[in-house]
Amino acid sequence: MNNLIMISLDCVRREAIHCYHSSFPSYFHSEIPVVRFKGMGKLKRFYVPIVDLLIKPFVTPSTPHIDRVATDGILFTQAVSQAPYTPASHASIFTGLNPFNHGIRQFVGFKINPKAMTLAERLKRDGFQTGGVVGSNALGEVYGLHRGFDLYDFDSNQSIGKVGNLKLFRRDHKEVTDKALQWMSKIDGRFFLFVHYFDIHETIEHPITYQPLYQILKMKEVDQSIRRITQFLKDKGVYDDTIIVILSDHGNDFGIHEPGHREYLYDTTLLVPFIIKADRALGGLRITQQVRLIDVMPTVLELLGLPLDNPEDYEQMEGVSLLPLCRRHYQEELPAYSETCMESSDERWDILKNSYMSLRFSGWKIIVDKINHKKSLYNLNIDPFECNDVHMTNKDMVELLSQKLDNLLTQSAQMKGTMSENEISMVKESLRGLGYLDDEAK
């Protein structure tokens, strides 16, 4: 394989993509906005199944072009994000490192540490032309995610304002795709293209009750942009020689545990779609074993025929290539680490409201509250929405997962990159412009 295209569907749940053959548990698991009165709990037992029955046939996910890529490639049903927010998760994708080693530990104040080599840096060293087109400031250069790209495109016609010298923007999938195709049409030789779609992230602006419906409808639109990219490759005669990765950085909770994402570490925000189209011999595979987003970089490097080891002066990847698993060779289950934290207010990022880390392994997940030093345990096989904490009745499993978590953290380098005061100020204004921040953290 000669080329690589990575498409990031920011904030997309697996249920919004047709080939995952799953559906949201209920489009109306929350109360319908405005309609609140005594006895609503009893009424919901009747209207939820009726409304679902009437609506679901009309809002079944329709993503035929993503489905075709999945048919030609490998679909992973249990891919785990290392952080449920955009910059930290993409840093794990780009470096093959957990957040405590790539350096982005919070939304503000941290960036990729200098010892973490990015995928674009690796490929540029090996002679690839590297281009990135991003959909919002949530992947701004201030995080260091631009490192290694010949082009890291931010120049949007749909900016939503300006603060000082900082341009605030998010742009739709059509503009992102236009710029990506323009770049590909001008290059020759091996290339790596990163495409970031932020359209679905706007779900957070809609009432919780209707967010799953909105995500399904928006993905139907974005799927047309993916059609344009795959058709361009076919017209150019390089589709079969191009690896296509389609994934999401994190999901969204839709009100089961929190309004959106980033506050907690439940599977609603951590399990993400992940598809790789490579050579035809691997087409049509459906992998149900757990994998991590830190495994993306080593997997694509091996598919491109490149060594997995980084240069000696850089951190080595914690992720592993998934090709042995895809080729049906034995591979031990991969424990998946995740972390997140939430600031107490948008003015005091140094004071945290909460901070969690988790380890997902063998059908179980332990979540550790790093502030209050409490542990929760969930049996994911019988409680997929993590509603019943069973740590009191499963002490052995708590001890096993705690030990694995301790071993992982003990062996880590615990690296971080730090933003300057000016960079911190710029990021705060950017996040306000994108709707993340008000007077206090949500």
Side-chain angles (χ1 to χ4, degrees):
M1 308 296 286
N2 276 326
N3 312 304
L4 169 64
I5 294 180
M6 183 179 294
I7 300 171
S8 174
L9 308 170
D10 205 305
C11 201
V12 171
R13 287 263 294 261
R14 298 171 303 165
E15 294 93 331
I17 298 176
H18 179 265
C19 57
Y20 271 87
H21 303 306
S22 58
S23 60
F24 291 105
S26 171
Y27 292 107
F28 293 86
H29 60 257
S30 303
E31 294 179 4
I32 294 178
V34 183
V35 183
R36 293 186 176 91
F37 52 84
K38 188 176 182 180
M40 172 62 81
K42 293 180 180 179
L43 180 61
K44 283 173 66 179
R45 289 200 295 268
F46 295 97
Y47 78 67
V48 165
I50 294 173
V51 170
D52 278 355
L53 183 64
L54 293 174
I55 287 182
K56 283 189 178 181
F58 299 100
V59 292
T60 299
S62 178
T63 53
H65 305 292
I66 294 177
D67 295 354
R68 288 194 189 101
V69 174
T71 298
D72 291 341
I74 310 156
L75 184 146
F76 298 88
T77 66
Q78 201 174 176
V80 184
S81 170
Q82 274 53 77
Y85 60 103
T86 300
S89 182
H90 280 91
S92 286
I93 296 166
F94 281 178
T95 65
L97 296 171
N98 284 304
F100 51 72
N101 278 331
H102 65 54
I104 299 181
R105 310 299 299 273
Q106 286 180 242
F107 231 135
V108 172
F110 297 89
K111 58 184 176 182
I112 295 180
N113 83 73
K115 293 291 186 180
M117 174 167 269
T118 69
L119 178 59
E121 288 175 315
R122 274 293 305 271
L123 296 183
K124 187 174 176 65
R125 283 192 176 200
D126 285 291
F128 284 70
Q129 297 168 86
T130 54
V133 186
V134 298
S136 84
N137 288 55
L139 287 183
E141 292 182 1
V142 70
Y143 292 109
L145 296 164
H146 69 295
R147 284 168 32 191
F149 284 101
D150 301 323
L151 168 76
Y152 198 71
D153 188 283
F154 267 89
D155 186 17
S156 174
N157 296 323
Q158 301 179 34
S159 63
I160 58 175
K162 195 173 183 181
V163 178
N165 293 322
L166 178 65
K167 191 176 186 180
L168 306 176
F169 79 89
R170 54 186 170 196
R171 53 189 179 184
D172 67 27
H173 62 97
K174 295 177 183 178
E175 183 185 342
V176 170
T177 306
D178 286 344
K179 290 183 177 272
L181 295 180
Q182 288 171 14
W183 182 78
M184 280 199 293
S185 67
K186 297 175 182 177
I187 60 172
D188 291 310
R190 305 185 83 181
F191 67 85
F192 164 42
L193 172 65
F194 171 64
V195 181
H196 174 239
Y197 293 128
F198 200 71
D199 305 67
I200 299 88
H201 207 289
E202 296 177 7
T203 297
I204 61 177
E205 298 177 353
H206 294 70
I208 291 174
T209 299
Y210 306 113
Q211 287 178 7
L213 170 60
Y214 176 86
Q215 188 164 117
I216 286 173
L217 296 177
K218 204 67 180 177
M219 270 307 304
K220 185 176 181 179
E221 296 179 19
V222 173
D223 188 64
Q224 293 300 314
S225 281
I226 292 175
R227 175 194 62 78
R228 293 177 62 198
I229 291 174
T230 56
Q231 190 60 52
F232 177 92
L233 296 175
K234 291 174 182 177
D235 292 344
K236 201 173 180 179
V238 295
Y239 178 82
D240 289 338
D241 203 27
T242 300
I243 300 165
I244 300 176
V245 176
I246 300 175
L247 49 71
S248 178
D249 55 342
H250 60 79
N252 212 9
D253 190 77
F254 297 137
I256 296 176
H257 302 286
E258 60 176 309
H261 56 276
R262 192 164 76 90
E263 191 164 358
Y264 301 116
L265 293 173
Y266 297 106
D267 276 2
T268 48
T269 64
L270 293 181
L271 286 184
V272 294
F274 176 28
I275 297 165
I276 298 179
K277 183 205 76 71
D279 58 76
R280 291 189 178 276
L282 297 175
L285 292 180
R286 193 176 185 91
I287 304 296
T288 59
Q289 191 165 325
Q290 175 171 287
V291 300
R292 299 86 50 95
L293 291 186
I294 58 172
D295 301 321
V296 174
M297 180 172 171
T299 302
V300 298
L301 287 176
E302 185 170 359
L303 283 168
L304 290 167
L306 300 174
L308 299 186
D309 292 336
N310 283 333
E312 291 184 2
D313 49 341
Y314 288 93
E315 288 291 315
Q316 297 302 314
M317 292 179 289
E318 295 172 281
V320 300
S321 171
L322 300 175
L323 287 191
L325 176 63
C326 297
R327 290 169 177 157
R328 305 302 187 186
H329 299 157
Y330 174 75
Q331 189 166 10
E332 291 185 356
E333 183 172 354
L334 303 169
Y337 172 88
S338 305
E339 71 173 44
T340 195
C341 60
M342 199 79 168
E343 64 286 344
S344 59
S345 76
D346 65 339
E347 294 301 329
R348 294 303 308 269
W349 289 79
D350 55 329
I351 300 177
L352 298 179
K353 181 174 72 173
N354 56 38
S355 180
Y356 297 98
M357 60 182 174
S358 67
L359 193 74
R360 197 178 190 277
F361 180 75
S362 193
W364 296 81
K365 185 199 288 182
I366 188 170
I367 300 177
V368 180
D369 184 333
K370 296 165 67 176
I371 294 177
N372 297 314
H373 307 290
K374 294 181 179 180
K375 297 179 180 179
S376 304
L377 182 72
Y378 299 95
N379 184 339
L380 303 174
N381 294 318
I382 62 175
D383 181 24
F385 291 101
E386 297 158 280
C387 297
N388 301 302
D389 177 9
V390 294
H391 80 279
M392 293 298 293
T393 55
N394 292 272
K395 298 292 188 180
D396 290 344
M397 184 57 66
V398 171
E399 183 176 351
L400 172 66
L401 296 185
S402 297
Q403 187 61 54
K404 284 184 175 292
L405 190 54
D406 290 343
N407 291 343
L408 179 67
L409 297 174
T410 300
Q411 296 167 7
S412 71
Q414 297 285 329
M415 302 290 290
K416 66 180 181 180
T418 306
M419 293 181 183
S420 67
E421 289 298 321
N422 183 53
E423 289 173 328
I424 290 174
S425 177
M426 289 173 64
V427 171
K428 285 183 178 180
E429 296 301 336
S430 174
L431 295 177
R432 286 192 185 96
L434 292 172
Y436 275 105
L437 302 179
D438 294 313
D439 292 332
E440 60 182 10
K442 292 183 179 180

